Amino acid sequence: MTPVFVFVTALLPLVHGGLLLGIPGARLAAGNTSVASSFSRSVAPVSTSTSSADFSISSTLPTSSVAGIAAVPRKRAAIPACLKTVELSCLNLAANCIDSVNAGNVNTLWSIKSCVAAGTCYGVGDLITSVECQTGFIVTNSAQAALPTSIYNGIVMGCTSCAITQQNYIDFYYGQLTAVNSANFPSSSAVVKAFWSVITTWAATGSTVPYKNFNDWLHFSSFPVTTTTTTTPVTTYTQITWNPNPAPTSGAVSETFVTSTITVIIAIPTATTSVVVGGTSITLAPGGTPINSPLPPGISIPGATTPTWNPNIIPPTSVPSVTFTAPPSFTTIVAVPTASNSPPKNITGPPGDKNSDGNNWWLLLFPGVIGGLLPADIGIPGGVKPTAAPPPDWTGAWTDPDPTSTSTHNSASASSSASSSSSSCPQPTGAYSLSDDAENSDWDGLGSDPDRRRSNVMTIAARAGRSMTLPVCGIDTANGNVITNPNTVSLGAGTYYTIGTKAAGGTSIALNPIVVNSRPVGNGAGTVAQEHIFEIGYIRQFFESINSQSISCTWIVNNVYNQAGWDGRTWALSLLQEIDQVPNMVWVDKPMNQAKSNVVNRNKATAADPPQKANIDKISDFSTPVSVNSIQDVEYFIRNFAALGTYFSNTAGRFQATALRVQNRLTQITPNTPDVNLPVAFNAWLRSLLTNYPSGCTSRATNVFNYYHTKMTNIANQHNSVVPQCFPLFPTGINPQSFTWQNLVPPPPTLPSCNIPGTQGTWQFGFNPNGSPEKGLATFRVMGAGRSDFYGFGTGADFSGAHLVAGDLSTTPGCANGAVSIGLTGPGVPAGLPDVLLSPQCNGQSGKQTVPISFVLNGQTLSCASIYTNQSVTGNQGIIIQIICAGSAAVATTCANSVLSSTYPTGHLLTGSMTFIPS
Ligand SMILES: *[C@@H]1O[C@H](CO)[C@@H](O)[C@H](O)[C@H]1NC(C)=O
Ligand SMILES: *[C@@H]1O[C@H](CO)[C@@H](O)[C@H](O)[C@H]1NC(C)=O
Ligand SMILES: *[C@@H]1O[C@H](CO)[C@@H](O)[C@H](O)[C@H]1NC(C)=O
């Protein structure tokens, strides 16, 4: 049977010969003011306004994925969201550059003069990130052609063999601004000199920079500042458990254990077993390898083989060729042998490159396997670098067979730090012990992270579940008003972001994603945290923000915190649970977690009071173990802070996906009063918050380094000495990483600007032939429909209550495919009918507005015709309004006229637009 909805006057019992399936209770009624005298058959369907820019029609929620962003058609103009915030003359150059890039020149960026100029002020890595954002191309530095000598000649005024002077650079920079018709020039030449100074410092060739070094700067100075969210193939890391104990050779039938006094021989075990040798119990895996702890000293297993670790990067599988890279500019692409009897390819690395066997060559074998050992600085884009981890239940000593792989893949810095530490420098200890800044100890108020162990109280809170509070509204933990996730969500297998261990030392800030099966060892017990990328505390920060913009605590508490949502959970709990999910978690070293807290909590923001100030202040000398350990901890912390921008960048996808879940949850809320459009306000708040994060990362990293540097210098001066060369970061400094904050934010909702959820009012269906308006009696409410494009409409308290749905009329005589009758959900109405959404035609206005409304079904804007009848002739007393809609006005009108003549012979169609009149 075809469901048909009618809106009837208040007293009408709705029984209609089985044809009509209506809405018992008759909550919606036409007014009793209208008197039909004569009527016109002309029908004025609701204007569809297909050209209106306010509405886009989409049957799905916008996705947050990078693929979705990349699919946006590219405009021939710089996309503002692709640009970072910089000095305006520089921004003009960058905009001109990214606008100039196309498929034909994407690998010859440095043949575009504005790109060369932009690279010098904007940062090469950031510029490439912006190019990728603008074009959707994947841009690699190694693929970029060299700076053409013609451009270089222009910079050095035709003196090809000369190095670039500061004056050359200033002239080039201003010349490019003129060439791109820049609207902005630097406020003074000091601005440009500062750009140049960064380059001369990097090049370390004095006050001028020769071609080779300038070209190197363009290719290697800061790429990649921000990797990822793109599919750029980089070497990733995977953790493999490493049992260093000897294993019996395959085919052996017995296993022999020998001490100085006894010999024990057993059959090769086929199940986990244990053997007692001289009073010591040894657990053996099937096959006979000792597990869980090192083979006890004094016991050997003759004939068993001690495994050797293969540190080679594993190339991507099933590829026709493998790319090998090495800094600064070595790239070679080698075809994979095609058959098992094809000769191996013998590859020679860049001059001077040697593997641990002293060779400069290695082999590529069928079907894409490395033979021999790769030199340590060779990379394979898309390859996987194995790193070793102790087996899960391992106790006792365990030695990393390849410590460099877990610390850094920048062999240059690794080897230089190794050579400089050959003197009597104390090696870093494994433990990292800097305490948190006191400012971050109240994090519970912002939402506890899974692994926070700030205090005993915190430990209890963390174990009891994730909580958040809204102290600004008088809710605080002391009173027990905490919203807690009753489910414990824990990260097991996942991604571990690390710059390597503190013990490896060095100056690297290269952040590597390592896939792990469980909590990594990191720098020792309690030094690796499972972290929420999108913080739980953002919920409180957001509501504090709207509270400060005159949204009352009562409103927030009644409409969100304590209000049950569609599924019975309070909105606050469902928001918390959108965040507290494994996909929003990664493993991260404690110092990175601490650095992020400084930025997220917006504290320790000045040069005089930088992050970790208290611990830096405690450093008193360069030799006592306590001070040395603190200095090493501080250097490790600073390196983590410098990599924080990359961490934000690398986790942008998780951040954005979680933010979108929160935003989508907010689209479901229908408050009592329309004081704020929550998903729209959330997106705007998040944008304004994140705008400050890139500089929040770089300025704090710079501040803490400078504070540390000053402290060390002061200690040296006090002792009339110099800072020992044992602290590698001290002389080199850091280049803190920035990131593109836009990649973290979901697309803003495209919701209508007026009559936001919570607005109540009257639905005017149209006009009677005598010109009198026909209005519903019931109060209708604009609802959050869980959509970022349109609202819901109905008489329920929210969208889980009575709201508009569509019943199919396509089999009703006179009605074509796509014709529907729209009405409210409720008793007697079949479940599962598609929702009808509301599109008020705000025309740029906000607030409560009396405006025409149209309806949207499955992404299509409907045209509707309203039937009016005083149904007294069939025994049902009262006025009936039936609304029939379709994708086209013709289909809706034809269907409505057919229903009119067959069912409501005394009725007529209303004319004019359907309108919402807020109360
Ligand atoms: C319907 O009529 C009654 C009685 O005249 C009146 O009080 C009421 O306001 C009318 N309702 C509407 C919606 O006009
Ligand atoms: C509907 O019809 C009944 C019976 O003829 C009449 O009493 C009533 O006034 C009519 N109502 C309207 C609004 O025309
Ligand atoms: C690979 O080439 C190097 C140098 O060309 C040579 O010394 C080495 O023996 C070759 N290795 C094999 C396995 O052919």
Side-chain angles (χ1 to χ4, degrees):
M1 184 176 69
T2 307
V4 175
F5 302 99
V6 294
F7 297 113
V8 297
T9 51
L11 299 172
L12 183 75
L14 195 86
V15 181
H16 210 278
L19 173 65
L20 297 180
L21 181 63
I23 301 153
R27 311 223 261 155
L28 225 206
N32 55 355
T33 56
S34 66
V35 178
S37 48
S38 64
F39 59 86
S40 145
R41 302 285 289 186
S42 74
V43 173
V46 171
S47 147
T48 54
S49 288
T50 50
S51 64
S52 166
D54 281 354
F55 311 112
S56 65
I57 294 164
S58 159
S59 60
T60 55
L61 291 171
T63 69
S64 65
S65 68
V66 173
I69 292 167
V72 172
R74 297 291 155 193
K75 291 184 196 153
R76 292 302 300 156
I79 300 166
C82 288
L83 289 162
K84 70 170 183 175
T85 307
V86 286
E87 191 273 335
L88 284 174
S89 71
C90 180
L91 191 63
N92 272 280
L93 292 169
N96 184 276
C97 166
I98 70 172
D99 187 21
S100 304
V101 179
N102 55 46
N105 62 15
V106 68
N107 285 328
T108 52
L109 280 188
W110 311 130
S111 301
I112 304 168
K113 285 187 188 174
S114 61
C115 291
V116 176
T120 64
C121 61
Y122 191 88
V124 169
D126 279 350
L127 186 67
I128 285 177
T129 302
S130 290
V131 167
E132 291 184 330
C133 171
Q134 169 87 11
T135 62
F137 300 132
I138 291 163
V139 183
T140 49
N141 62 333
S142 55
Q144 293 302 317
L147 175 72
T149 44
S150 58
I151 293 184
Y152 187 78
N153 278 347
I155 300 175
V156 292
M157 304 290 183
C159 179
T160 310
S161 61
C162 296
I164 304 171
T165 64
Q166 177 177 276
Q167 191 58 49
N168 288 154
Y169 171 73
I170 293 172
D171 292 345
F172 171 67
Y173 189 87
Y174 278 87
Q176 282 312 301
L177 288 175
T178 306
V180 304
N181 290 319
S182 174
N184 300 88
F185 282 75
S187 54
S188 83
S189 63
V191 172
V192 188
K193 288 175 185 166
F195 296 151
W196 180 242
S197 148
V198 173
I199 299 170
T200 54
T201 303
W202 186 90
T205 52
S207 63
T208 64
V209 179
Y211 171 88
K212 177 180 178 301
N213 305 76
F214 186 64
N215 187 48
D216 280 353
W217 193 85
L218 289 173
H219 286 83
F220 309 113
S221 61
S222 60
F223 190 95
V225 168
T226 51
T227 45
T228 146
T229 72
T230 71
T231 54
T232 310
V234 293
T235 302
T236 54
Y237 285 63
T238 186
Q239 216 168 46
I240 296 174
T241 56
W242 178 248
N243 181 344
N245 285 330
T249 52
S250 74
V253 294
S254 66
E255 186 171 8
T256 305
F257 299 84
V258 177
T259 73
S260 57
T261 53
I262 58 162
T263 298
V264 174
I265 302 175
I266 61 167
I268 295 287
T270 55
T272 302
T273 185
S274 56
V275 58
V276 177
V277 181
T280 305
S281 178
I282 304 170
T283 307
L284 304 174
T289 307
I291 54 173
N292 296 349
S293 57
L295 187 63
I299 300 177
S300 62
I301 312 177
T305 310
T306 300
T308 53
W309 174 255
N310 182 344
N312 284 337
I313 300 173
I314 302 156
T317 51
S318 310
V319 290
S321 63
V322 174
T323 303
F324 298 93
T325 62
S329 60
F330 174 80
T331 299
T332 184
I333 300 172
V334 182
V336 175
T338 50
S340 55
N341 58 358
S342 307
K345 300 288 172 65
N346 187 338
I347 300 129
T348 306
D353 215 15
K354 291 208 184 334
N355 66 17
S356 54
D357 291 343
N359 292 326
N360 183 28
W361 56 267
W362 63 94
L363 303 175
L364 181 62
L365 313 165
F366 175 82
V369 179
I370 305 292
L373 288 172
L374 289 174
D377 64 346
I378 295 292
I380 301 178
V384 177
K385 173 82 175 150
T387 70
D393 297 322
W394 191 266
T395 55
W398 181 87
T399 306
D400 189 337
D402 186 16
T404 56
S405 73
T406 47
S407 59
T408 170
H409 61 205
N410 181 342
S411 71
S413 70
S415 59
S416 68
S417 69
S419 61
S420 69
S421 64
S422 59
S423 60
S424 60
C425 286
Q427 289 303 303
T429 66
Y432 171 84
S433 56
L434 291 190
S435 54
D436 295 333
D437 287 319
E439 284 85 343
N440 290 335
S441 64
D442 66 345
W443 182 249
D444 190 42
L446 286 163
S448 58
D449 252 358
D451 276 335
R452 294 278 159 172
R453 291 192 181 84
R454 303 296 187 195
S455 64
N456 290 338
V457 174
M458 282 303 304
T459 308
I460 293 161
R463 287 189 181 150
R466 320 279 192 270
S467 59
M468 62 179 178
T469 61
L470 191 63
V472 70
C473 285
I475 298 183
D476 59 62
T477 40
N479 294 320
N481 283 321
V482 185
I483 291 140
T484 302
N485 186 359
N487 306 325
T488 299
V489 181
S490 282
L491 183 61
T495 307
Y496 170 37
Y497 284 95
T498 181
I499 64 166
T501 58
K502 177 195 157 195
T507 58
S508 170
I509 59 168
L511 184 73
N512 291 310
I514 300 177
V515 179
V516 296
N517 291 322
S518 57
R519 182 189 296 276
V521 175
N523 293 291
T527 62
V528 180
Q530 39 179 326
E531 210 224 4
H532 287 119
I533 295 302
F534 183 98
E535 304 283 352
I536 288 172
Y538 286 140
I539 295 302
R540 184 187 116 176
Q541 287 192 11
F542 168 60
F543 284 106
E544 278 181 345
S545 154
I546 65 168
N547 179 248
S548 73
Q549 291 163 29
S550 79
I551 302 300
S552 72
C553 286
T554 310
W555 192 96
I556 294 169
V557 169
N558 289 348
N559 288 299
V560 183
Y561 271 68
N562 291 344
Q563 178 61 42
W566 300 355
D567 58 9
R569 289 179 295 166
T570 61
W571 292 119
L573 178 58
S574 58
L575 288 168
L576 171 60
Q577 291 185 326
E578 296 296 6
I579 300 170
D580 196 12
Q581 296 186 8
V582 166
N584 184 36
M585 290 182 192
V586 298
W587 295 108
V588 73
D589 292 315
K590 186 176 174 186
M592 181 68 82
N593 189 290
Q594 291 173 327
K596 189 180 167 195
S597 294
N598 290 129
V599 173
V600 169
N601 291 349
R602 295 170 282 187
N603 58 32
K604 300 302 227 181
T606 64
D609 184 22
Q612 288 296 355
K613 174 180 184 294
N615 285 316
I616 296 172
D617 286 344
K618 285 182 203 156
I619 300 172
S620 58
D621 60 79
F622 303 136
S623 55
T624 60
V626 166
S627 276
V628 168
N629 195 48
S630 288
I631 294 169
Q632 289 163 341
D633 277 350
V634 167
E635 289 210 343
Y636 186 58
F637 173 77
I638 293 170
R639 288 196 284 132
N640 272 277
F641 218 126
L644 180 60
T646 307
Y647 178 63
F648 271 112
S649 178
N650 286 5
T651 55
R654 294 171 196 267
F655 190 105
Q656 195 198 69
T658 307
L660 183 62
R661 284 198 300 271
V662 169
Q663 183 173 303
N664 286 344
R665 183 63 66 179
L666 292 171
T667 63
Q668 297 184 344
I669 298 177
T670 303
N672 296 329
T673 51
D675 297 18
V676 61
N677 197 347
L678 287 169
V680 173
F682 172 76
N683 193 279
W685 166 81
L686 192 60
R687 273 167 206 278
S688 70
L689 178 80
L690 292 176
T691 323
N692 300 315
Y693 273 24
S695 62
C697 292
T698 53
S699 67
R700 284 178 180 82
T702 304
N703 288 346
V704 64
F705 176 79
N706 289 343
Y707 194 86
Y708 160 71
H709 197 272
T710 304
K711 175 73 182 177
M712 294 286 277
T713 308
N714 288 346
I715 294 173
N717 292 343
Q718 279 160 17
H719 295 80
N720 233 349
S721 66
V722 293
V723 176
Q725 291 188 348
C726 298
F727 307 113
L729 203 64
F730 177 82
T732 62
I734 46 153
N735 177 19
Q737 307 290 279
S738 184
F739 67 101
T740 306
W741 64 265
Q742 287 89 345
N743 291 341
L744 278 63
V745 194
T750 54
L751 290 161
S753 56
C754 68
N755 299 333
I756 64 174
T759 308
Q760 299 181 38
T762 303
W763 181 0
Q764 181 173 299
F765 302 110
F767 294 89
N768 287 296
N770 67 356
S772 64
E774 194 61 46
K775 297 175 183 171
L777 288 181
T779 297
F780 265 75
R781 186 178 269 112
V782 181
M783 299 167 165
R787 305 268 309 201
S788 57
D789 48 3
F790 298 110
Y791 301 126
F793 198 48
T795 56
D798 71 12
F799 200 64
S800 64
H803 66 276
L804 292 184
V805 290
D808 182 26
L809 286 185
S810 61
T811 57
T812 299
C815 298
N817 254 349
V820 293
S821 178
I822 67 175
L824 291 169
T825 55
V829 177
L833 294 177
D835 294 327
V836 170
L837 301 171
L838 174 74
S839 173
Q841 298 180 10
C842 303
N843 202 17
Q845 301 178 93
S846 57
K848 296 179 181 176
Q849 299 292 340
T850 295
V851 288
I853 53 177
S854 42
F855 295 104
V856 177
L857 175 65
N858 295 329
Q860 187 177 38
T861 300
L862 298 174
S863 291
C864 300
S866 307
I867 297 171
Y868 170 97
T869 183
N870 185 343
Q871 195 60 13
S872 57
V873 289
T874 61
N876 290 322
Q877 295 299 315
I879 293 166
I880 290 175
I881 302 289
Q882 185 178 349
I883 298 173
I884 293 176
C885 305
S888 83
V891 170
T893 309
T894 305
C895 175
N897 280 326
S898 175
V899 171
L900 191 62
S901 57
S902 65
T903 312
Y904 310 112
T906 62
H908 58 261
L909 297 188
L910 301 175
T911 63
S913 298
M914 287 199 276
T915 304
F916 180 66
I917 305 167
S919 44

